[in-house]
CSV table of all heavy atoms in Angstrom, one decimal:
chain,number,residue,atom,x,y,z
A,34,PHE,N,-46.9,8.5,-61.6
A,34,PHE,CA,-46.7,8.3,-63.1
A,34,PHE,C,-45.6,9.2,-63.6
A,34,PHE,O,-45.3,10.3,-63.1
A,34,PHE,CB,-48.0,8.7,-63.8
A,34,PHE,CG,-49.3,8.1,-63.3
A,34,PHE,CD1,-50.0,8.5,-62.2
A,34,PHE,CD2,-49.8,7.0,-64.0
A,34,PHE,CE1,-51.1,7.9,-61.8
A,34,PHE,CE2,-51.0,6.3,-63.6
A,34,PHE,CZ,-51.6,6.8,-62.5
A,36,TYR,N,-44.7,10.7,-67.4
A,36,TYR,CA,-45.0,10.8,-68.8
A,36,TYR,C,-43.9,11.6,-69.6
A,36,TYR,O,-43.2,12.4,-69.0
A,36,TYR,CB,-46.3,11.6,-69.0
A,36,TYR,CG,-47.6,10.9,-68.6
A,36,TYR,CD1,-48.1,11.0,-67.2
A,36,TYR,CD2,-48.4,10.2,-69.5
A,36,TYR,CE1,-49.2,10.3,-66.9
A,36,TYR,CE2,-49.5,9.5,-69.1
A,36,TYR,CZ,-50.0,9.6,-67.8
A,36,TYR,OH,-51.1,9.0,-67.4
A,38,GLN,N,-43.2,14.0,-73.1
A,38,GLN,CA,-43.8,14.8,-74.2
A,38,GLN,C,-42.7,15.2,-75.2
A,38,GLN,O,-41.8,15.9,-74.8
A,38,GLN,CB,-44.6,15.9,-73.6
A,38,GLN,CG,-45.3,16.7,-74.6
A,38,GLN,CD,-46.1,17.9,-74.0
A,38,GLN,OE1,-45.7,18.5,-73.1
A,38,GLN,NE2,-47.3,18.2,-74.6
A,41,ASN,N,-44.7,19.5,-79.6
A,41,ASN,CA,-46.0,19.5,-80.3
A,41,ASN,C,-46.8,18.2,-80.3
A,41,ASN,O,-47.5,17.9,-81.3
A,41,ASN,CB,-45.8,20.0,-81.7
A,41,ASN,CG,-45.3,21.4,-81.7
A,41,ASN,OD1,-45.8,22.3,-81.1
A,41,ASN,ND2,-44.2,21.6,-82.5
A,42,GLN,N,-46.5,17.4,-79.3
A,42,GLN,CA,-47.2,16.1,-79.2
A,42,GLN,C,-47.9,16.0,-77.8
A,42,GLN,O,-47.7,16.8,-76.9
A,42,GLN,CB,-46.3,15.0,-79.4
A,42,GLN,CG,-45.7,14.9,-80.8
A,42,GLN,CD,-44.9,13.7,-81.0
A,42,GLN,OE1,-45.2,12.6,-80.4
A,42,GLN,NE2,-43.9,13.7,-81.9
A,43,GLY,N,-48.8,15.0,-77.7
A,43,GLY,CA,-49.4,14.7,-76.4
A,43,GLY,C,-48.4,14.0,-75.5
A,43,GLY,O,-47.2,13.9,-75.8
A,44,LEU,N,-48.9,13.5,-74.4
A,44,LEU,CA,-48.0,12.8,-73.4
A,44,LEU,C,-48.1,11.3,-73.6
A,44,LEU,O,-49.2,10.7,-73.9
A,44,LEU,CB,-48.5,13.1,-72.0
A,44,LEU,CG,-48.0,14.4,-71.4
A,44,LEU,CD1,-48.5,15.6,-72.1
A,44,LEU,CD2,-48.3,14.5,-69.9
A,46,LEU,N,-47.2,7.6,-71.8
A,46,LEU,CA,-46.9,7.1,-70.5
A,46,LEU,C,-45.6,6.3,-70.5
A,46,LEU,O,-45.5,5.4,-71.4
A,46,LEU,CB,-48.1,6.2,-70.1
A,46,LEU,CG,-47.9,5.4,-68.7
A,46,LEU,CD1,-48.0,6.4,-67.6
A,46,LEU,CD2,-49.0,4.3,-68.6
A,49,LYS,N,-45.7,3.6,-64.4
A,49,LYS,CA,-46.6,4.0,-63.3
A,49,LYS,C,-46.3,3.1,-62.1
A,49,LYS,O,-45.9,1.9,-62.2
A,49,LYS,CB,-48.0,3.9,-63.8
A,49,LYS,CG,-48.5,2.5,-64.1
A,49,LYS,CD,-49.9,2.4,-64.5
A,49,LYS,CE,-50.4,1.0,-64.9
A,49,LYS,NZ,-51.8,0.9,-65.4
A,90,PHE,N,-42.8,14.7,-67.4
A,90,PHE,CA,-43.7,15.1,-66.4
A,90,PHE,C,-43.9,14.0,-65.4
A,90,PHE,O,-44.3,12.9,-65.8
A,90,PHE,CB,-45.0,15.5,-67.0
A,90,PHE,CG,-44.9,16.8,-67.8
A,90,PHE,CD1,-44.8,16.7,-69.2
A,90,PHE,CD2,-45.0,18.0,-67.2
A,90,PHE,CE1,-44.7,17.9,-69.9
A,90,PHE,CE2,-44.9,19.2,-68.0
A,90,PHE,CZ,-44.8,19.1,-69.3
A,97,GLY,N,-56.1,5.2,-59.7
A,97,GLY,CA,-55.3,4.7,-60.8
A,97,GLY,C,-55.4,5.6,-62.0
A,97,GLY,O,-55.1,5.1,-63.1
A,98,GLY,N,-55.8,6.8,-61.9
A,98,GLY,CA,-55.8,7.7,-63.1
A,98,GLY,C,-57.2,8.1,-63.4
A,98,GLY,O,-57.4,9.1,-64.2
A,99,SER,N,-58.2,7.4,-62.9
A,99,SER,CA,-59.6,7.9,-63.2
A,99,SER,C,-59.9,9.1,-62.4
A,99,SER,O,-60.9,9.8,-62.7
A,99,SER,CB,-60.6,6.8,-62.9
A,99,SER,OG,-60.5,6.3,-61.5
A,100,GLU,N,-59.1,9.3,-61.3
A,100,GLU,CA,-59.2,10.6,-60.7
A,100,GLU,C,-58.2,11.5,-61.3
A,100,GLU,O,-57.3,11.1,-62.0
A,100,GLU,CB,-58.8,10.4,-59.2
A,100,GLU,CG,-59.8,9.5,-58.4
A,100,GLU,CD,-61.2,10.2,-58.3
A,100,GLU,OE1,-61.3,11.4,-58.1
A,100,GLU,OE2,-62.2,9.4,-58.5
A,101,LYS,N,-58.3,12.8,-61.1
A,101,LYS,CA,-57.5,13.7,-61.8
A,101,LYS,C,-56.0,13.6,-61.4
A,101,LYS,O,-55.7,13.2,-60.3
A,101,LYS,CB,-58.0,15.1,-61.6
A,101,LYS,CG,-57.8,15.7,-60.2
A,101,LYS,CD,-58.2,17.1,-60.2
A,101,LYS,CE,-57.9,17.8,-58.8
A,101,LYS,NZ,-58.4,19.2,-58.8
A,102,LEU,N,-55.2,13.8,-62.4
A,102,LEU,CA,-53.8,13.8,-62.2
A,102,LEU,C,-53.3,15.2,-61.8
A,102,LEU,O,-53.7,16.2,-62.3
A,102,LEU,CB,-53.0,13.4,-63.4
A,102,LEU,CG,-53.1,11.9,-63.9
A,102,LEU,CD1,-52.6,11.7,-65.3
A,102,LEU,CD2,-52.4,11.0,-62.9
A,104,PHE,N,-49.9,17.3,-61.9
A,104,PHE,CA,-48.6,17.2,-62.6
A,104,PHE,C,-47.6,18.1,-62.0
A,104,PHE,O,-47.9,19.2,-61.4
A,104,PHE,CB,-48.8,17.7,-64.1
A,104,PHE,CG,-49.4,16.7,-65.0
A,104,PHE,CD1,-50.7,16.6,-65.2
A,104,PHE,CD2,-48.6,15.7,-65.6
A,104,PHE,CE1,-51.3,15.7,-66.0
A,104,PHE,CE2,-49.2,14.8,-66.5
A,104,PHE,CZ,-50.6,14.8,-66.6
A,105,GLY,N,-46.3,17.7,-62.1
A,105,GLY,CA,-45.3,18.6,-61.8
A,105,GLY,C,-45.0,19.6,-62.9
A,105,GLY,O,-45.7,19.5,-64.0
A,106,LYS,N,-44.1,20.5,-62.8
A,106,LYS,CA,-43.9,21.5,-63.8
A,106,LYS,C,-43.1,21.0,-65.0
A,106,LYS,O,-43.0,21.7,-66.0
A,106,LYS,CB,-43.3,22.8,-63.2
A,106,LYS,CG,-44.2,23.5,-62.2
A,106,LYS,CD,-43.6,24.8,-61.8
A,106,LYS,CE,-44.6,25.5,-60.9
A,106,LYS,NZ,-44.1,26.9,-60.4
B,32,THR,N,-64.1,7.9,-68.3
B,32,THR,CA,-63.7,9.2,-67.9
B,32,THR,C,-62.8,9.8,-68.9
B,32,THR,O,-61.8,9.2,-69.4
B,32,THR,CB,-63.0,9.2,-66.5
B,32,THR,OG1,-63.8,8.5,-65.6
B,32,THR,CG2,-62.9,10.6,-66.0
B,34,PHE,N,-60.6,13.6,-69.8
B,34,PHE,CA,-60.1,14.8,-69.2
B,34,PHE,C,-59.7,15.8,-70.3
B,34,PHE,O,-59.2,15.4,-71.3
B,34,PHE,CB,-58.9,14.5,-68.3
B,34,PHE,CG,-59.2,13.6,-67.2
B,34,PHE,CD1,-59.1,12.2,-67.5
B,34,PHE,CD2,-59.4,13.9,-65.9
B,34,PHE,CE1,-59.3,11.2,-66.5
B,34,PHE,CE2,-59.7,13.0,-64.9
B,34,PHE,CZ,-59.6,11.7,-65.2
B,36,TYR,N,-57.2,19.1,-70.9
B,36,TYR,CA,-56.1,20.0,-70.3
B,36,TYR,C,-55.8,21.1,-71.3
B,36,TYR,O,-56.0,21.0,-72.5
B,36,TYR,CB,-54.9,19.1,-70.2
B,36,TYR,CG,-55.0,18.0,-69.1
B,36,TYR,CD1,-55.5,16.7,-69.5
B,36,TYR,CD2,-54.5,18.2,-67.9
B,36,TYR,CE1,-55.5,15.7,-68.6
B,36,TYR,CE2,-54.6,17.1,-66.9
B,36,TYR,CZ,-55.1,15.9,-67.3
B,36,TYR,OH,-55.2,14.9,-66.4
B,38,GLN,N,-52.4,23.6,-72.2
B,38,GLN,CA,-50.9,23.7,-71.9
B,38,GLN,C,-50.4,25.0,-72.6
B,38,GLN,O,-50.6,25.1,-73.9
B,38,GLN,CB,-50.2,22.5,-72.4
B,38,GLN,CG,-48.7,22.5,-72.1
B,38,GLN,CD,-48.0,21.3,-72.5
B,38,GLN,OE1,-48.4,20.7,-73.5
B,38,GLN,NE2,-47.0,20.9,-71.8
B,43,SER,N,-46.5,23.4,-67.7
B,43,SER,CA,-47.1,22.1,-67.5
B,43,SER,C,-48.6,22.1,-67.9
B,43,SER,O,-49.1,23.1,-68.4
B,43,SER,CB,-47.0,21.7,-66.0
B,43,SER,OG,-47.5,20.4,-65.8
B,44,LEU,N,-49.3,21.0,-67.7
B,44,LEU,CA,-50.7,20.8,-68.1
B,44,LEU,C,-51.6,21.4,-67.0
B,44,LEU,O,-51.3,21.1,-65.9
B,44,LEU,CB,-51.0,19.4,-68.4
B,44,LEU,CG,-50.6,18.8,-69.7
B,44,LEU,CD1,-49.1,18.6,-69.8
B,44,LEU,CD2,-51.3,17.5,-70.0
B,46,LEU,N,-55.4,21.1,-65.8
B,46,LEU,CA,-56.7,20.4,-66.0
B,46,LEU,C,-57.8,21.5,-66.1
B,46,LEU,O,-57.9,22.3,-65.2
B,46,LEU,CB,-56.9,19.5,-64.9
B,46,LEU,CG,-58.2,18.7,-64.9
B,46,LEU,CD1,-58.2,17.8,-66.1
B,46,LEU,CD2,-58.5,18.0,-63.6
B,59,GLU,N,-62.8,22.7,-63.4
B,59,GLU,CA,-61.9,23.2,-62.4
B,59,GLU,C,-62.1,24.6,-62.1
B,59,GLU,O,-62.7,25.4,-62.9
B,59,GLU,CB,-60.4,23.0,-62.8
B,59,GLU,CG,-60.0,21.5,-63.0
B,59,GLU,CD,-60.1,20.7,-61.7
B,59,GLU,OE1,-59.4,21.1,-60.7
B,59,GLU,OE2,-60.8,19.7,-61.6
B,91,PHE,N,-52.5,25.1,-76.5
B,91,PHE,CA,-52.5,23.7,-76.9
B,91,PHE,C,-53.4,22.9,-76.0
B,91,PHE,O,-53.3,23.0,-74.8
B,91,PHE,CB,-51.0,23.2,-76.7
B,91,PHE,CG,-50.7,21.8,-77.4
B,91,PHE,CD1,-51.0,21.6,-78.7
B,91,PHE,CD2,-50.1,20.8,-76.7
B,91,PHE,CE1,-50.7,20.4,-79.3
B,91,PHE,CE2,-49.8,19.6,-77.3
B,91,PHE,CZ,-50.1,19.4,-78.6
B,93,ILE,N,-55.1,19.4,-74.8
B,93,ILE,CA,-54.9,17.9,-74.8
B,93,ILE,C,-56.0,17.2,-74.1
B,93,ILE,O,-56.4,17.7,-73.0
B,93,ILE,CB,-53.5,17.6,-74.2
B,93,ILE,CG1,-52.4,18.4,-74.8
B,93,ILE,CG2,-53.2,16.1,-74.3
B,93,ILE,CD1,-51.0,18.3,-74.1
B,102,MET,N,-56.9,-0.1,-67.2
B,102,MET,CA,-56.6,-0.2,-65.7
B,102,MET,C,-56.7,1.2,-65.1
B,102,MET,O,-56.0,1.5,-64.1
B,102,MET,CB,-55.2,-0.8,-65.5
B,102,MET,CG,-55.0,-2.2,-66.1
B,102,MET,SD,-56.0,-3.4,-65.3
B,102,MET,CE,-55.0,-3.6,-63.8
B,103,TYR,N,-57.6,2.0,-65.6
B,103,TYR,CA,-57.9,3.3,-65.1
B,103,TYR,C,-56.7,4.3,-65.2
B,103,TYR,O,-56.6,5.2,-64.4
B,103,TYR,CB,-58.6,3.2,-63.8
B,103,TYR,CG,-59.8,2.5,-63.8
B,103,TYR,CD1,-59.9,1.2,-63.4
B,103,TYR,CD2,-61.0,3.1,-64.4
B,103,TYR,CE1,-61.2,0.5,-63.5
B,103,TYR,CE2,-62.2,2.4,-64.5
B,103,TYR,CZ,-62.3,1.1,-64.0
B,103,TYR,OH,-63.4,0.4,-64.1
B,104,THR,N,-55.8,4.0,-66.0
B,104,THR,CA,-54.6,4.9,-66.3
B,104,THR,C,-55.0,5.8,-67.4
B,104,THR,O,-55.6,5.4,-68.4
B,104,THR,CB,-53.4,4.1,-66.6
B,104,THR,OG1,-53.0,3.3,-65.5
B,104,THR,CG2,-52.2,5.0,-67.0
B,105,GLN,N,-54.6,7.1,-67.3
B,105,GLN,CA,-54.9,8.0,-68.3
B,105,GLN,C,-54.0,7.9,-69.5
B,105,GLN,O,-52.8,7.9,-69.3
B,105,GLN,CB,-54.9,9.5,-67.8
B,105,GLN,CG,-56.0,9.8,-66.8
B,105,GLN,CD,-56.0,11.3,-66.4
B,105,GLN,OE1,-55.6,12.2,-67.2
B,105,GLN,NE2,-56.3,11.5,-65.2
B,106,TYR,N,-54.6,7.8,-70.7
B,106,TYR,CA,-53.8,7.9,-71.9
B,106,TYR,C,-54.2,9.1,-72.7
B,106,TYR,O,-55.3,9.5,-72.7
B,106,TYR,CB,-54.0,6.6,-72.8
B,106,TYR,CG,-53.3,5.4,-72.2
B,106,TYR,CD1,-53.9,4.7,-71.1
B,106,TYR,CD2,-52.1,5.0,-72.6
B,106,TYR,CE1,-53.3,3.6,-70.6
B,106,TYR,CE2,-51.4,4.0,-72.1
B,106,TYR,CZ,-52.0,3.3,-71.0
B,106,TYR,OH,-51.3,2.2,-70.5
B,107,PHE,N,-53.2,9.8,-73.3
B,107,PHE,CA,-53.3,11.1,-73.8
B,107,PHE,C,-53.4,11.1,-75.3
B,107,PHE,O,-52.8,10.3,-76.0
B,107,PHE,CB,-52.2,12.0,-73.4
B,107,PHE,CG,-52.2,12.4,-71.9
B,107,PHE,CD1,-51.9,11.5,-70.9
B,107,PHE,CD2,-52.7,13.7,-71.6
B,107,PHE,CE1,-52.0,11.9,-69.6
B,107,PHE,CE2,-52.8,14.1,-70.2
B,107,PHE,CZ,-52.4,13.2,-69.2
B,108,GLY,N,-54.2,12.1,-75.8
B,108,GLY,CA,-54.3,12.3,-77.2
B,108,GLY,C,-53.1,13.1,-77.6
B,108,GLY,O,-52.3,13.6,-76.8
B,109,PRO,N,-52.9,13.3,-78.9
B,109,PRO,CA,-51.7,14.0,-79.5
B,109,PRO,C,-51.8,15.6,-79.3
B,109,PRO,O,-50.9,16.3,-79.6
B,109,PRO,CB,-51.7,13.7,-80.9
B,109,PRO,CG,-53.1,13.3,-81.3
B,109,PRO,CD,-53.7,12.8,-80.0
B,112,ARG,N,-53.6,22.2,-81.5
B,112,ARG,CA,-53.1,23.6,-81.4
B,112,ARG,C,-54.1,24.5,-81.9
B,112,ARG,O,-54.5,24.5,-83.1
B,112,ARG,CB,-51.8,23.7,-82.3
B,112,ARG,CG,-51.3,25.2,-82.3
B,112,ARG,CD,-50.6,25.6,-81.1
B,112,ARG,NE,-49.5,24.7,-80.7
B,112,ARG,CZ,-48.9,24.7,-79.5
B,112,ARG,NH1,-49.3,25.6,-78.6
B,112,ARG,NH2,-47.9,23.9,-79.3
Side-chain angles (χ1 to χ4, degrees):
Chain A
F34 306 81
Y36 287 89
Q38 185 179 33
N41 297 310
Q42 295 186 28
L44 275 66
L46 179 67
K49 64 180 179 181
F90 292 96
S99 57
E100 297 295 320
K101 68 177 184 179
L102 289 170
F104 283 91
K106 293 187 176 182
Chain B
T32 308
F34 303 82
Y36 296 84
Q38 186 178 32
S43 189
L44 283 73
L46 179 66
E59 295 297 301
F91 194 52
I93 308 176
M102 301 291 285
Y103 299 104
T104 296
Q105 288 185 39
Y106 285 83
F107 286 77
R112 174 74 58 192

